[in-house]
Amino acid sequence: MSTAGAVRAGSERRDEILAIAAELFAERGFAATTVRDIGDAAGILSGSLYHHFDSKESMADELVHELLDRVLAAYRRIVATDDDPERALRALVHEAFSAIATDRATVAVMVNEWSLFTQYPRFAYLRGIEEETERLWVTVIDRGVDTGVFRAGLDARMVYRLLRDAIWVSVRWYDPKGDDTADEIADAYLAVLLDGVAGARRGAVR
Amino acid sequence: MSTAGAVRAGSERRDEILAIAAELFAERGFAATTVRDIGDAAGILSGSLYHHFDSKESMADELVHELLDRVLAAYRRIVATDDDPERALRALVHEAFSAIATDRATVAVMVNEWSLFTQYPRFAYLRGIEEETERLWVTVIDRGVDTGVFRAGLDARMVYRLLRDAIWVSVRWYDPKGDDTADEIADAYLAVLLDGVAGARRGAVR
DNA sequence: GTCTATATTGAGATAGAC
DNA sequence: GTCTATCTCAATATAGAC
């Protein structure tokens, strides 16, 4: 009956508390958020949180792990399904921005606390997920170079990092109530990435 | 006699301790670094740090403030000096990557703790610096659009954010001992930004 | 599933001697 | 400029009643 992957199935109350914790972690930072803050926001005492969770860390762990499992699964589907490199890259970028739209707080936690979390053994899986993600994106970029739709001589790994960093950190200024939807930002970023900002044909490497 | 701008002049010992603190903040995170850690690394007791600094916060404050003042001054010089939009943009990007090379630890602290610091009144100046920085970069991009060297209809603010985010977060994977120098990464990023990754001329908006 | 009550630890910071 | 010694507070987490 469980929908879970790596993560324990959760009651509704649990999920509710997790969502509250995510908002607080995103807003104040993981370290600066106390279990009392979370309890207060959830309308219970801090001690009662430990009926649902082992520790403050495990809350962040569940949030981030569950998100990344979902995103990675989507990446896998895209790369396995779509043979066209440009369309696949577009889909990957839209998928990431979609996660920012649907799970803003958790993405913010991931982005802001990445350096912190990757220090702890409990978050060791982050490396694995990050490696597979890189492999998938780089595969798509390399395919594009092979088929000639992307420029020859491109450093796929560097392009991936540029894009990954720019996309995820946008969660820091992304405003769900703002003028631009996540898909619109995705398209704007893709426009720059694919065609560049230079207006006139240049005597460059192409 | 003082070399300082907004920041108190410092003895050599002070600077040494600041550099040590920067490394620890960058490595373990600001919150996870204790004043005892800093004292240990500096070879003194934690209490002795308070002869040099008011608080742990003030150490991070000095580090980040001093760095951003220097970088902003460089940006100002570039924008005031160079009329050519593409050359100015190149210089801005190289300037940022140069800061990553020379002040890796402090840049990492700034990037990792930005969301945390901007919450505190003491770091209110971050907003001001960020705003002026955005204005400077956007000015250069808009100039490029006006003179036709950058594509018409470009959202300068979005391009700035994309670039800013991608550049600064690269401090998380930048390896001073790695194959690529900061200038090489800057050029690679600029190549993507200016010309895009698409290899063939496309029937796009240009 | 939440509360009462509290154990325990570790943090930032201070006062005054040397 | 550093040390000795310590204060004070706030944090995570636990035990057991309801």
Side-chain angles (χ1 to χ4, degrees), chain B residues 187-203:
Chain B
D187 283 328
Y189 273 36
L190 278 162
V192 171
L193 181 84
L194 291 168
D195 290 321
V197 303
R201 186 54 132 177
R202 295 143 47 81

Side-chain angles (χ1 to χ4, degrees), chain A residues 61-206:
Chain A
D61 191 346
E62 277 193 40
L63 283 165
V64 173
H65 202 157
E66 201 267 342
L67 171 74
L68 286 181
D69 275 351
R70 261 186 299 129
V71 172
L72 180 56
Y75 289 164
R76 283 198 195 112
R77 234 176 295 124
I78 291 166
V79 177
T81 302
D82 202 329
D83 275 343
D84 182 69
E86 180 175 334
R87 219 171 42 207
L89 187 63
R90 286 186 174 280
L92 289 174
V93 170
H94 275 274
E95 188 63 41
F97 275 106
S98 158
I100 293 177
T102 60
D103 297 84
R104 208 199 74 264
T106 302
V107 171
V109 176
M110 176 187 78
V111 167
N112 292 332
E113 317 293 347
W114 184 270
S115 299
L116 182 70
F117 290 165
T118 47
Q119 287 174 73
Y120 298 110
R122 120 165 266 156
F123 288 93
Y125 65 88
L126 289 177
R127 297 288 181 200
I129 292 178
E130 167 55 18
E131 273 167 34
E132 186 180 347
T133 301
E134 176 172 314
R135 233 173 303 137
L136 288 168
W137 284 60
V138 165
T139 297
V140 169
I141 296 168
D142 279 338
R143 268 188 210 161
V145 172
D146 289 346
T147 61
V149 29
F150 296 154
R151 211 192 319 156
L154 221 50
D155 182 338
R157 198 145 163 264
M158 190 162 283
V159 170
Y160 161 67
R161 285 173 168 176
L162 187 167
L163 204 41
R164 173 198 64 189
D165 293 347
I167 291 171
W168 288 127
V169 177
S170 75
V171 76
R172 289 192 178 164
W173 52 263
Y174 171 72
D175 178 3
K177 288 165 194 150
D179 289 336
D180 303 308
T181 68
D183 276 331
E184 282 166 353
I185 302 174
D187 283 328
Y189 273 37
L190 277 162
V192 171
L193 181 84
L194 290 168
D195 290 322
V197 302
R201 185 55 133 181
R202 296 144 48 80
V205 247
R206 284 198 229 181

Side-chain angles (χ1 to χ4, degrees), chain B residues 78-90:
Chain B
I78 290 166
V79 177
T81 303
D82 203 329
D83 276 342
D84 183 70
E86 179 175 335
R87 220 170 43 206
L89 187 62
R90 287 186 172 279

Side-chain angles (χ1 to χ4, degrees), chain A residues 15-89:
Chain A
D15 292 347
E16 204 180 338
I17 295 173
L18 269 183
I20 289 167
E23 289 295 338
L24 291 172
F25 291 158
E27 206 173 292
R28 310 180 185 183
F30 175 75
T33 302
T34 72
V35 292
R36 282 182 183 84
D37 293 336
I38 300 170
D40 288 351
I44 58 177
L45 288 178
S46 62
S48 305
L49 292 171
Y50 292 83
H51 173 75
H52 301 281
F53 306 96
D54 288 341
S55 65
K56 190 173 82 162
E57 257 191 20
S58 76
M59 295 188 216
D61 191 346
E62 277 193 40
L63 283 165
V64 173
H65 202 157
E66 201 267 342
L67 171 74
L68 286 181
D69 275 351
R70 261 186 299 129
V71 172
L72 180 56
Y75 289 164
R76 283 198 195 112
R77 234 176 295 124
I78 291 166
V79 177
T81 302
D82 202 329
D83 275 343
D84 182 69
E86 180 175 334
R87 219 171 42 207
L89 187 63

